[in-house]
Amino acid sequence: MTYHFKNIIVRKPNKSIQNALSSQNINPVYKNILEEHTSYLKTISALGLKINILDPLEDFPDSIFVEDPALIYRSTCIVLNPGNKTRNGEKSIIKKEMQQFFNNILSVEKGFVEGGDVLNINQDHFIIGISNRTNKVGAENLSKLLQSLGASVKICETPKNVLHFKSECSFIDDDVILVSSNMAQIEYLKSNYKLIKLPIGEEGAANTLRINDKLLIPYGFNKAEEILSNKYSIIKIKVDEISKIDAGLSCMSLRW
Ligand code: CIR
């Protein structure tokens, strides 16, 4: 099942994260990132997952966001091709690192695609969002690889002003996607899934992480908490510093 996990891969925060990409041009504080990352790991560890920690990469400021250069589908790891220049070099490092976990490793060779634009639904279906980081060639290339492994794929557009497709949505239950009001306009989502729509102003709460029977959500979004706690067993995690560099709960790990 898409949200039943036993293993997780994260990368220890790098000091150079203070130079990470930020649409608001904010330099985050390393110490605060480290604190948030530590509590993220504590929570995940308490859920019983085996945590695998990769070494920090000082040459790549955004490299704690391991979700972007690689994708895991069943027993295969697909190494992606990050569309941002400062992130592209992460792919060859993570490719070597993934060899300790996966025998089957494929790579997107043409075009650009980042994992933040890839939403896995109901186990064998994927939505890939075209964005500033993921282009049509990359999306089609990834789609071919996923289909060769037995998955189905739909390519959509990530709304303008949204960094990644998953920045404002997450798969939280069978056929259920949590979306920002912006993402709720996407015709394919509207007509194929049950959408739980968050109010305007709570976009940051749409990037959640369903792990087994728990739903991890970011602190500070009261309406989202109210809507979700009716049906889900939620755990709140602080991501204030991480959100300054446009990231959320899913970006910091790879799960299987
Ligand atoms: C970036 O701009 O690449 C990072 N500052 C944030 C990456 C967030 N990753 C994700 O949403 N999957």
Side-chain angles (χ1 to χ4, degrees):
M1 292 271 271
T2 317
Y3 46 80
H4 289 168
F5 301 118
K6 292 198 171 105
N7 300 284
I8 195 159
I9 293 175
V10 296
R11 190 182 294 288
K12 204 169 166 222
N14 46 306
K15 296 206 170 80
S16 60
I17 197 160
Q18 60 186 359
N19 302 317
L21 298 164
S22 162
S23 58
Q24 308 166 72
N25 284 319
I26 299 179
N27 296 108
V29 175
Y30 166 72
K31 189 175 100 2
N32 299 347
I33 296 271
L34 194 59
E35 268 172 25
E36 290 180 2
H37 199 260
T38 305
S39 78
Y40 178 75
L41 289 188
K42 240 190 215 162
T43 305
I44 290 167
S45 167
L47 298 179
L49 277 72
K50 178 175 186 314
I51 299 183
N52 302 284
I53 306 181
L54 305 176
D55 290 337
L57 300 178
E58 292 301 338
D59 289 346
F60 297 96
D62 288 280
S63 53
I64 64 161
F65 305 122
V66 287
E67 180 179 68
D68 294 318
L71 177 74
I72 294 169
Y73 172 52
R74 292 187 177 264
S75 55
T76 300
C77 172
I78 303 180
V79 177
L80 304 174
N81 198 11
N84 186 286
K85 258 197 197 152
T86 67
R87 300 210 56 190
N88 193 264
E90 293 171 30
K91 69 181 178 201
S92 45
I93 298 170
I94 209 160
K95 185 172 189 169
K96 284 194 204 112
E97 294 168 326
M98 288 297 128
Q99 286 164 7
Q100 57 185 302
F101 308 109
F102 298 94
N103 292 326
N104 199 21
I105 298 188
L106 303 174
S107 299
V108 170
E109 305 287 358
K110 286 184 230 144
F112 295 109
V113 54
E114 295 192 356
D117 282 316
V118 187
L119 180 68
N120 187 196
I121 293 169
N122 298 339
Q123 180 74 359
D124 291 313
H125 185 60
F126 289 84
I127 300 176
I128 308 175
I130 307 280
S131 70
N132 281 341
R133 304 289 182 88
T134 295
N135 63 14
K136 194 162 175 276
V137 179
E140 285 171 353
N141 208 246
L142 175 61
S143 170
K144 270 189 207 141
L145 295 177
L146 286 168
Q147 287 177 57
S148 75
L149 298 169
S152 58
V153 178
K154 170 75 182 172
I155 297 177
C156 288
E157 289 287 327
T158 300
K160 299 268 170 288
N161 307 321
V162 175
L163 175 66
H164 285 127
F165 196 81
K166 282 191 297 191
S167 302
E168 292 194 13
C169 73
S170 33
F171 176 74
I172 61 168
D173 210 341
D174 298 342
D175 283 318
V176 180
I177 304 178
L178 177 68
V179 286
S180 66
S181 50
N182 202 3
M183 298 291 286
Q185 306 306 316
I186 297 175
E187 204 47 57
Y188 178 75
L189 296 185
K190 272 202 281 195
S191 43
N192 288 282
Y193 301 99
K194 292 171 208 143
L195 302 184
I196 298 183
K197 187 173 143 187
L198 293 173
I200 291 174
E202 301 240 329
E203 290 73 16
N207 181 281
T208 63
L209 195 51
R210 173 82 192 258
I211 297 185
N212 305 333
D213 60 344
K214 301 286 180 199
L215 182 64
L216 279 49
I217 71 166
Y219 254 106
F221 296 95
N222 297 340
K223 289 177 195 146
E225 187 181 335
E226 200 182 307
I227 294 167
L228 294 167
S229 57
N230 277 333
K231 191 155 177 233
Y232 298 96
S233 170
I234 62 168
I235 301 178
K236 290 186 284 174
I237 301 197
K238 194 166 164 276
V239 287
D240 294 356
E241 203 67 15
I242 281 155
S243 63
K244 291 178 186 164
I245 46 174
D246 309 324
L249 294 168
S250 75
C251 325
M252 293 187 285
S253 59
L254 289 165
R255 296 125 338 235
W256 77 101

